[in-house]
Amino acid sequence: MELICPLCNGLIEYNIECRLCNEKMEDKGRIADYYDNYSSYLDMNITELIDKVEYDKCVHLFVCSNCNNDKRIAIDKI
Ligand SMILES: [Zn+2]
Ligand SMILES: [Zn+2]
């Protein structure tokens, strides 16, 4: 069976708090989607991160709606 990301498929909610202002951070979706569309805008850190990501992880971008702090979280596929 193919592994799926529980977050992409709406099976779980992943709530994290912004470390700067403690507001809830919003899931903006898979980094890979950004990578496809905006690869020229991405910095090296993201590109490296994607290269290193294993097949069983899905990396999501979370952004704080309050202060725009962003964070990348690798979600374990199930
Ligand atoms: Zn995902
Ligand atoms: Zn914040």
Side-chain angles (χ1 to χ4, degrees):
M1 201 179 120
E2 209 179 317
L3 292 172
I4 58 159
C5 170
L7 205 53
C8 286
N9 289 273
L11 300 177
I12 59 164
E13 277 202 36
Y14 203 86
N15 292 318
I16 57 170
E17 283 180 1
C18 176
R19 75 188 156 83
L20 299 180
C21 68
N22 294 324
E23 287 292 319
K24 194 183 158 210
M25 296 185 79
E26 240 180 83
D27 175 21
K28 293 294 185 184
R30 294 189 310 144
I31 290 269
D33 290 340
Y34 289 86
Y35 187 66
D36 290 342
N37 295 331
Y38 306 108
S39 53
S40 57
Y41 298 104
L42 294 176
D43 60 40
M44 278 308 291
N45 288 339
I46 300 178
T47 318
E48 277 172 24
L49 182 64
I50 290 173
D51 289 342
K52 277 184 211 150
V53 167
E54 296 166 42
Y55 77 101
D56 60 348
K57 302 246 197 260
C58 180
V59 180
H60 280 247
L61 178 68
F62 286 81
V63 178
C64 175
S65 52
N66 190 47
C67 73
N68 263 351
N69 176 37
D70 61 54
K71 192 174 168 74
R72 291 153 212 134
I73 310 266
I75 308 292
D76 288 317
K77 292 186 186 174
I78 53 174

Coordinates of all heavy atoms in Angstrom, one line a residue:
M1 N 0.8 -1.2 0.0 CA 0.0 0.0 0.0 C 0.9 1.3 0.0 O 1.9 1.3 0.7 CB -0.9 0.0 1.2 CG -2.1 0.9 1.1 SD -3.1 0.8 2.6 CE -3.1 2.5 3.1
E2 N 0.4 2.2 -0.7 CA 1.2 3.4 -0.8 C 1.0 4.3 0.4 O 0.0 4.3 1.0 CB 0.7 4.2 -2.0 CG 1.8 5.1 -2.7 CD 1.2 5.9 -3.8 OE1 0.5 5.3 -4.6 OE2 1.5 7.1 -3.9
L3 N 2.1 4.9 0.8 CA 2.1 5.8 2.0 C 1.4 7.1 1.6 O 1.6 7.6 0.6 CB 3.5 6.1 2.5 CG 4.2 4.9 3.1 CD1 5.7 5.3 3.4 CD2 3.6 4.4 4.4
I4 N 0.5 7.6 2.5 CA -0.1 8.9 2.3 C 0.2 9.8 3.5 O 0.4 9.3 4.6 CB -1.6 8.8 2.1 CG1 -2.3 8.1 3.3 CG2 -2.0 8.0 0.8 CD1 -3.8 8.4 3.4
C5 N 0.2 11.0 3.2 CA 0.4 12.0 4.3 C -1.0 12.3 5.0 O -1.9 12.7 4.3 CB 0.9 13.3 3.7 SG 0.9 14.7 4.9
P6 N -1.1 12.0 6.3 CA -2.4 12.2 7.0 C -2.8 13.7 7.0 O -4.0 13.9 7.1 CB -2.1 11.7 8.4 CG -0.6 11.8 8.5 CD 0.0 11.6 7.2
L7 N -1.9 14.6 6.9 CA -2.2 16.0 6.9 C -2.8 16.4 5.6 O -3.8 17.1 5.5 CB -1.0 16.8 7.3 CG -1.2 18.1 7.9 CD1 -2.1 18.0 9.1 CD2 0.1 18.7 8.4
C8 N -2.1 16.0 4.5 CA -2.6 16.3 3.1 C -4.0 15.8 2.9 O -4.8 16.3 2.2 CB -1.7 15.8 2.1 SG -0.1 16.6 1.9
N9 N -4.3 14.6 3.5 CA -5.5 13.9 3.3 C -6.6 14.2 4.4 O -7.6 13.6 4.4 CB -5.3 12.4 3.2 CG -4.5 12.1 1.9 OD1 -5.2 11.8 0.9 ND2 -3.2 12.0 2.0
G10 N -6.3 15.2 5.2 CA -7.3 15.6 6.2 C -7.6 14.6 7.3 O -8.6 14.7 7.9
L11 N -6.7 13.7 7.5 CA -6.9 12.7 8.5 C -6.6 13.2 9.9 O -7.2 12.7 10.9 CB -6.1 11.4 8.2 CG -6.4 10.7 6.9 CD1 -5.5 9.6 6.7 CD2 -7.9 10.3 6.8
I12 N -5.6 14.0 10.0 CA -5.3 14.6 11.3 C -5.2 16.1 11.2 O -5.1 16.7 10.1 CB -3.9 14.1 11.8 CG1 -2.8 14.4 10.8 CG2 -4.0 12.6 12.1 CD1 -1.4 14.3 11.4
E13 N -5.2 16.7 12.3 CA -4.9 18.2 12.4 C -3.6 18.3 13.2 O -3.4 17.6 14.2 CB -6.0 18.9 13.1 CG -7.1 19.3 12.2 CD -7.9 20.5 12.7 OE1 -7.3 21.4 13.3 OE2 -9.1 20.5 12.5
Y14 N -2.8 19.1 12.7 CA -1.5 19.3 13.3 C -1.4 20.7 13.8 O -1.3 21.7 13.0 CB -0.4 19.0 12.3 CG 0.9 18.6 12.9 CD1 1.2 17.3 13.2 CD2 1.9 19.6 13.1 CE1 2.4 17.0 13.8 CE2 3.1 19.3 13.6 CZ 3.4 17.9 14.0 OH 4.6 17.6 14.5
N15 N -1.6 20.9 15.1 CA -1.6 22.2 15.7 C -0.2 22.6 16.3 O 0.2 21.9 17.2 CB -2.7 22.4 16.7 CG -4.0 22.3 16.1 OD1 -4.3 22.9 15.0 ND2 -4.9 21.6 16.7
I16 N 0.4 23.6 15.8 CA 1.6 24.0 16.5 C 1.5 25.5 16.8 O 0.8 26.2 16.1 CB 2.9 23.8 15.6 CG1 2.7 24.5 14.3 CG2 3.1 22.3 15.4 CD1 4.0 24.4 13.5
E17 N 2.2 25.9 17.8 CA 2.2 27.3 18.2 C 3.4 28.0 17.7 O 4.5 27.4 17.7 CB 2.1 27.4 19.7 CG 0.7 27.1 20.3 CD 0.6 27.2 21.8 OE1 1.7 27.5 22.4 OE2 -0.4 26.9 22.3
C18 N 3.2 29.2 17.4 CA 4.3 30.1 17.0 C 5.3 30.3 18.2 O 4.8 30.6 19.3 CB 3.8 31.4 16.5 SG 5.1 32.6 16.1
R19 N 6.6 30.1 17.9 CA 7.5 30.3 19.1 C 7.7 31.7 19.4 O 8.3 32.1 20.4 CB 8.8 29.5 18.8 CG 9.7 30.2 17.8 CD 10.9 29.4 17.5 NE 11.4 29.8 16.2 CZ 12.2 30.8 16.0 NH1 12.7 31.5 17.1 NH2 12.6 31.2 14.8
L20 N 7.3 32.6 18.5 CA 7.5 34.1 18.7 C 6.3 34.7 19.5 O 6.5 35.5 20.3 CB 7.7 34.8 17.4 CG 8.9 34.3 16.6 CD1 9.0 35.1 15.3 CD2 10.2 34.5 17.4
C21 N 5.1 34.3 19.1 CA 4.0 35.0 19.7 C 2.9 34.1 20.2 O 1.9 34.5 20.7 CB 3.3 36.0 18.7 SG 2.5 35.1 17.3
N22 N 3.2 32.7 20.2 CA 2.3 31.7 20.7 C 0.9 31.6 20.1 O 0.0 31.0 20.6 CB 2.1 31.9 22.2 CG 3.4 31.7 23.0 OD1 4.2 30.8 22.6 ND2 3.7 32.5 24.0
E23 N 0.8 32.3 18.9 CA -0.4 32.1 18.2 C -0.4 30.8 17.5 O 0.6 30.2 17.2 CB -0.6 33.2 17.1 CG -1.0 34.6 17.7 CD -2.4 34.6 18.3 OE1 -3.3 34.0 17.7 OE2 -2.5 35.2 19.4
K24 N -1.6 30.3 17.1 CA -1.6 29.1 16.3 C -1.1 29.3 14.9 O -1.4 30.3 14.3 CB -3.1 28.6 16.2 CG -3.3 27.2 15.8 CD -4.7 26.8 15.6 CE -4.9 25.7 14.7 NZ -6.1 25.6 14.0
M25 N -0.3 28.3 14.4 CA 0.3 28.5 13.1 C -0.6 27.7 12.1 O -1.1 26.6 12.4 CB 1.7 28.0 13.0 CG 2.6 28.9 13.9 SD 4.4 28.4 13.8 CE 4.8 29.2 12.3
E26 N -0.7 28.2 10.9 CA -1.6 27.6 9.9 C -0.8 26.7 8.9 O 0.3 27.1 8.5 CB -2.2 28.8 9.1 CG -3.7 28.8 9.1 CD -4.1 30.0 8.3 OE1 -4.3 29.9 7.0 OE2 -4.3 31.1 8.9
D27 N -1.4 25.6 8.6 CA -0.8 24.7 7.6 C -1.0 25.3 6.2 O -2.1 25.5 5.8 CB -1.4 23.3 7.7 CG -0.9 22.4 6.6 OD1 0.2 22.6 6.1 OD2 -1.6 21.4 6.4
K28 N 0.1 25.6 5.5 CA 0.0 26.2 4.2 C 0.2 25.1 3.1 O 0.3 25.4 1.9 CB 1.0 27.3 4.0 CG 0.8 28.5 4.8 CD -0.5 29.2 4.4 CE -0.7 30.5 5.2 NZ -1.9 31.1 4.9
G29 N 0.3 23.9 3.5 CA 0.4 22.8 2.5 C 1.8 22.3 2.4 O 2.7 22.7 3.1
R30 N 1.9 21.4 1.4 CA 3.2 20.7 1.2 C 4.3 21.7 0.6 O 4.0 22.5 -0.3 CB 3.1 19.6 0.2 CG 2.2 18.5 0.6 CD 2.3 17.3 -0.3 NE 2.1 17.8 -1.7 CZ 2.7 17.3 -2.8 NH1 3.7 16.4 -2.6 NH2 2.5 17.7 -4.0
I31 N 5.5 21.6 1.1 CA 6.6 22.4 0.6 C 6.8 22.0 -0.9 O 7.1 22.8 -1.7 CB 7.9 22.1 1.4 CG1 7.8 22.6 2.8 CG2 9.1 22.6 0.6 CD1 8.3 24.0 2.9
A32 N 6.6 20.8 -1.2 CA 6.8 20.3 -2.6 C 5.9 21.1 -3.6 O 6.4 21.3 -4.7 CB 6.5 18.8 -2.7
D33 N 4.8 21.5 -3.2 CA 3.9 22.3 -4.0 C 4.5 23.6 -4.3 O 4.5 24.2 -5.4 CB 2.5 22.5 -3.4 CG 1.7 21.2 -3.4 OD1 2.1 20.3 -4.2 OD2 0.8 21.1 -2.6
Y34 N 5.1 24.2 -3.3 CA 5.7 25.5 -3.4 C 7.0 25.3 -4.3 O 7.3 26.2 -5.1 CB 6.2 26.1 -2.1 CG 5.0 26.5 -1.3 CD1 4.3 25.7 -0.4 CD2 4.6 27.9 -1.3 CE1 3.2 26.1 0.3 CE2 3.5 28.3 -0.6 CZ 2.8 27.4 0.2 OH 1.8 27.8 1.0
Y35 N 7.6 24.2 -4.1 CA 8.8 23.9 -4.8 C 8.6 23.9 -6.3 O 9.3 24.5 -7.1 CB 9.4 22.6 -4.4 CG 10.7 22.2 -4.9 CD1 11.9 23.0 -4.6 CD2 10.9 21.1 -5.7 CE1 13.1 22.6 -5.1 CE2 12.1 20.8 -6.2 CZ 13.2 21.5 -5.9 OH 14.4 21.2 -6.4
D36 N 7.5 23.3 -6.7 CA 7.1 23.2 -8.1 C 6.8 24.6 -8.7 O 7.3 24.9 -9.8 CB 5.8 22.3 -8.3 CG 6.1 20.9 -8.0 OD1 7.3 20.5 -8.1 OD2 5.2 20.1 -7.8
N37 N 6.1 25.3 -8.0 CA 5.6 26.6 -8.5 C 6.6 27.7 -8.4 O 6.6 28.6 -9.2 CB 4.3 27.0 -7.8 CG 3.2 26.0 -8.1 OD1 3.2 25.4 -9.2 ND2 2.3 25.9 -7.2
Y38 N 7.3 27.8 -7.3 CA 8.1 28.9 -7.0 C 9.5 28.6 -6.8 O 10.2 29.2 -6.0 CB 7.5 29.6 -5.8 CG 6.1 30.0 -5.9 CD1 5.2 29.3 -5.1 CD2 5.6 31.0 -6.7 CE1 3.8 29.6 -5.2 CE2 4.3 31.3 -6.8 CZ 3.4 30.6 -6.0 OH 2.1 30.9 -6.1
S39 N 10.0 27.6 -7.4 CA 11.4 27.1 -7.1 C 12.4 28.2 -7.2 O 13.4 28.2 -6.5 CB 11.7 25.9 -8.0 OG 11.6 26.3 -9.3
S40 N 12.2 29.1 -8.1 CA 13.3 30.2 -8.3 C 13.3 31.1 -7.1 O 14.3 31.8 -6.9 CB 13.0 31.0 -9.6 OG 11.8 31.5 -9.6
Y41 N 12.2 31.1 -6.3 CA 12.2 32.1 -5.2 C 12.7 31.4 -3.9 O 12.9 32.1 -2.9 CB 10.8 32.6 -4.9 CG 10.2 33.3 -6.0 CD1 9.3 32.8 -6.9 CD2 10.6 34.7 -6.3 CE1 8.7 33.5 -7.9 CE2 10.1 35.4 -7.3 CZ 9.2 34.8 -8.2 OH 8.7 35.5 -9.2
L42 N 12.9 30.1 -3.9 CA 13.2 29.4 -2.7 C 14.7 29.6 -2.4 O 15.6 29.6 -3.3 CB 12.9 27.9 -2.8 CG 11.4 27.6 -2.9 CD1 11.2 26.1 -3.1 CD2 10.7 28.1 -1.6
D43 N 15.0 29.7 -1.1 CA 16.4 29.7 -0.7 C 17.0 28.3 -0.6 O 16.3 27.3 -0.7 CB 16.6 30.5 0.6 CG 15.8 29.8 1.8 OD1 15.8 28.5 1.8 OD2 15.2 30.5 2.6
M44 N 18.3 28.3 -0.5 CA 19.0 27.0 -0.5 C 18.5 26.0 0.6 O 18.5 24.8 0.4 CB 20.5 27.2 -0.4 CG 21.1 27.6 -1.7 SD 20.8 26.5 -3.1 CE 21.7 25.0 -2.5
N45 N 18.1 26.6 1.7 CA 17.8 25.7 2.8 C 16.6 24.8 2.4 O 16.6 23.7 2.8 CB 17.4 26.6 4.0 CG 18.6 27.2 4.7 OD1 19.7 26.7 4.5 ND2 18.3 28.3 5.4
I46 N 15.6 25.4 1.8 CA 14.4 24.6 1.4 C 14.8 23.6 0.4 O 14.4 22.4 0.5 CB 13.3 25.5 0.9 CG1 12.9 26.6 1.9 CG2 12.1 24.7 0.4 CD1 11.8 27.5 1.5
T47 N 15.6 24.0 -0.6 CA 16.0 23.1 -1.7 C 16.7 21.9 -1.1 O 16.5 20.7 -1.4 CB 16.9 23.8 -2.7 OG1 16.3 25.1 -2.9 CG2 16.9 23.0 -4.0
E48 N 17.6 22.2 -0.2 CA 18.4 21.1 0.5 C 17.5 20.2 1.3 O 17.6 19.0 1.3 CB 19.4 21.7 1.4 CG 20.7 22.1 0.7 CD 21.7 22.8 1.6 OE1 21.6 22.7 2.8 OE2 22.5 23.6 1.1
L49 N 16.5 20.8 2.0 CA 15.6 20.1 2.8 C 14.8 19.1 1.9 O 14.7 17.9 2.3 CB 14.7 21.1 3.5 CG 13.7 20.4 4.5 CD1 14.4 19.7 5.6 CD2 12.7 21.5 5.0
I50 N 14.3 19.6 0.8 CA 13.6 18.7 0.0 C 14.4 17.5 -0.6 O 14.0 16.4 -0.6 CB 13.0 19.5 -1.2 CG1 11.9 20.4 -0.7 CG2 12.4 18.5 -2.3 CD1 11.3 21.4 -1.7
D51 N 15.6 17.8 -0.9 CA 16.5 16.8 -1.4 C 16.7 15.7 -0.4 O 16.9 14.5 -0.7 CB 17.9 17.4 -1.8 CG 17.7 18.2 -3.1 OD1 16.7 18.0 -3.8 OD2 18.6 19.0 -3.4
K52 N 16.7 16.1 0.9 CA 17.0 15.2 2.0 C 15.8 14.4 2.5 O 15.9 13.5 3.2 CB 17.7 15.9 3.1 CG 19.1 16.2 3.0 CD 19.7 16.8 4.2 CE 20.9 17.7 3.9 NZ 21.0 18.9 4.7
V53 N 14.7 14.9 2.1 CA 13.4 14.3 2.6 C 13.3 12.9 2.1 O 13.4 12.6 1.0 CB 12.2 15.2 2.2 CG1 10.9 14.4 2.5 CG2 12.2 16.5 3.0
E54 N 13.0 12.0 3.0 CA 12.8 10.6 2.7 C 11.4 10.4 2.1 O 10.6 11.3 2.3 CB 13.0 9.7 3.9 CG 14.5 9.8 4.4 CD 14.6 9.2 5.8 OE1 14.0 8.2 6.0 OE2 15.3 9.8 6.6
Y55 N 11.3 9.3 1.4 CA 10.0 9.1 0.8 C 8.8 8.9 1.7 O 7.7 9.1 1.4 CB 10.1 7.8 -0.1 CG 10.0 6.5 0.7 CD1 8.8 5.8 0.8 CD2 11.1 6.1 1.4 CE1 8.8 4.6 1.5 CE2 11.1 4.9 2.2 CZ 9.9 4.2 2.2 OH 9.8 3.1 3.0
D56 N 9.2 8.7 3.0 CA 8.1 8.5 3.9 C 7.7 9.7 4.8 O 7.0 9.6 5.8 CB 8.4 7.3 4.9 CG 9.7 7.6 5.7 OD1 10.4 8.5 5.4 OD2 9.9 6.8 6.6
K57 N 8.2 10.9 4.3 CA 7.9 12.1 5.0 C 7.3 13.1 4.0 O 7.6 13.1 2.8 CB 9.1 12.7 5.6 CG 9.9 11.9 6.6 CD 9.8 12.4 7.9 CE 10.8 11.8 8.9 NZ 10.2 10.8 9.7
C58 N 6.4 13.9 4.5 CA 5.8 15.0 3.7 C 6.1 16.3 4.5 O 5.7 16.4 5.6 CB 4.3 14.7 3.6 SG 3.4 16.0 2.6
V59 N 6.8 17.2 3.9 CA 7.2 18.4 4.6 C 6.1 19.5 4.3 O 5.8 19.8 3.2 CB 8.6 18.9 4.1 CG1 9.0 20.2 4.9 CG2 9.6 17.8 4.4
H60 N 5.6 20.0 5.4 CA 4.6 21.1 5.3 C 5.2 22.4 5.8 O 6.0 22.4 6.7 CB 3.4 20.7 6.2 CG 2.4 19.8 5.5 ND1 1.2 20.1 5.1 CD2 2.6 18.5 5.2 CE1 0.6 19.0 4.6 NE2 1.5 18.0 4.6
L61 N 4.6 23.4 5.2 CA 5.0 24.8 5.6 C 3.9 25.3 6.5 O 2.7 25.3 6.2 CB 5.1 25.7 4.4 CG 5.4 27.1 4.7 CD1 6.9 27.3 5.2 CD2 5.3 27.9 3.4
F62 N 4.3 25.8 7.7 CA 3.3 26.4 8.6 C 3.7 27.8 8.8 O 4.8 28.2 8.9 CB 3.4 25.7 10.0 CG 2.7 24.4 10.1 CD1 3.4 23.2 9.6 CD2 1.4 24.2 10.5 CE1 2.8 22.0 9.7 CE2 0.8 23.0 10.6 CZ 1.5 21.9 10.1
V63 N 2.6 28.7 8.7 CA 2.9 30.1 8.8 C 2.0 30.7 9.9 O 0.8 30.4 10.0 CB 2.6 30.8 7.5 CG1 2.8 32.3 7.6 CG2 3.5 30.3 6.4
C64 N 2.6 31.5 10.7 CA 1.8 32.2 11.8 C 1.0 33.3 11.2 O 1.6 34.2 10.5 CB 2.7 32.7 12.9 SG 1.9 33.7 14.1
S65 N -0.3 33.3 11.4 CA -1.2 34.4 10.8 C -1.0 35.7 11.5 O -1.3 36.7 11.0 CB -2.6 34.0 10.9 OG -3.0 33.6 12.2
N66 N -0.4 35.7 12.7 CA -0.2 36.9 13.4 C 1.1 37.6 13.1 O 1.1 38.8 12.8 CB -0.2 36.5 14.9 CG -0.2 37.8 15.8 OD1 -1.0 38.7 15.6 ND2 0.6 37.8 16.8
C67 N 2.2 36.9 13.0 CA 3.5 37.6 12.8 C 4.3 37.1 11.6 O 5.4 37.5 11.3 CB 4.4 37.4 14.1 SG 5.1 35.8 14.3
N68 N 3.6 36.1 10.8 CA 4.2 35.6 9.6 C 5.5 34.8 9.8 O 6.2 34.5 8.8 CB 4.5 36.8 8.6 CG 3.4 37.0 7.6 OD1 2.5 36.1 7.5 ND2 3.5 38.0 6.9
N69 N 5.8 34.4 11.0 CA 6.9 33.5 11.2 C 6.5 32.2 10.5 O 5.4 31.7 10.5 CB 7.0 33.3 12.7 CG 8.0 32.2 13.1 OD1 9.1 32.1 12.4 ND2 7.7 31.4 14.1
D70 N 7.5 31.6 9.8 CA 7.2 30.3 9.2 C 8.1 29.2 9.7 O 9.2 29.4 10.2 CB 7.2 30.4 7.6 CG 8.6 30.8 7.1 OD1 9.6 30.1 7.5 OD2 8.6 31.8 6.4
K71 N 7.6 28.0 9.5 CA 8.3 26.8 10.1 C 8.0 25.6 9.1 O 6.9 25.5 8.6 CB 7.7 26.5 11.5 CG 8.5 25.5 12.3 CD 7.9 25.5 13.7 CE 8.4 24.4 14.5 NZ 9.8 24.5 15.0
R72 N 9.0 24.8 8.9 CA 8.7 23.6 8.1 C 8.7 22.3 9.0 O 9.6 22.2 9.9 CB 9.8 23.4 7.1 CG 9.8 24.5 6.0 CD 11.2 24.8 5.4 NE 11.2 26.2 5.1 CZ 12.2 27.0 5.3 NH1 13.3 26.6 6.0 NH2 12.2 28.2 5.0
I73 N 7.7 21.5 8.9 CA 7.5 20.3 9.7 C 7.5 19.1 8.8 O 6.7 19.1 7.8 CB 6.3 20.4 10.5 CG1 6.1 21.7 11.3 CG2 6.1 19.2 11.4 CD1 6.7 21.7 12.6
A74 N 8.3 18.1 9.1 CA 8.2 16.9 8.3 C 7.2 16.0 9.0 O 7.3 15.6 10.1 CB 9.6 16.2 8.3
I75 N 6.1 15.7 8.2 CA 5.0 14.8 8.7 C 5.3 13.4 8.3 O 5.6 13.1 7.1 CB 3.7 15.3 8.1 CG1 3.4 16.8 8.3 CG2 2.5 14.4 8.7 CD1 3.2 17.2 9.7
D76 N 5.2 12.5 9.2 CA 5.3 11.0 8.9 C 4.1 10.6 8.1 O 3.0 10.7 8.5 CB 5.5 10.2 10.1 CG 6.8 10.4 10.8 OD1 7.8 10.5 10.1 OD2 6.8 10.6 12.1
K77 N 4.4 10.0 6.9 CA 3.3 9.4 6.2 C 2.9 8.1 6.8 O 3.7 7.4 7.5 CB 3.7 9.1 4.7 CG 3.9 10.4 3.9 CD 4.2 10.1 2.5 CE 4.6 11.4 1.7 NZ 5.0 11.1 0.3
I78 N 1.7 7.7 6.6 CA 1.1 6.5 7.2 C 0.7 5.5 6.1 O 0.4 5.9 5.0 CB 0.0 6.8 8.2 CG1 -1.1 7.6 7.5 CG2 0.5 7.5 9.4 CD1 -2.3 7.8 8.3
Ligands
ZN1 ZN 1.4 16.4 3.5
ZN2 ZN 3.7 34.4 15.5

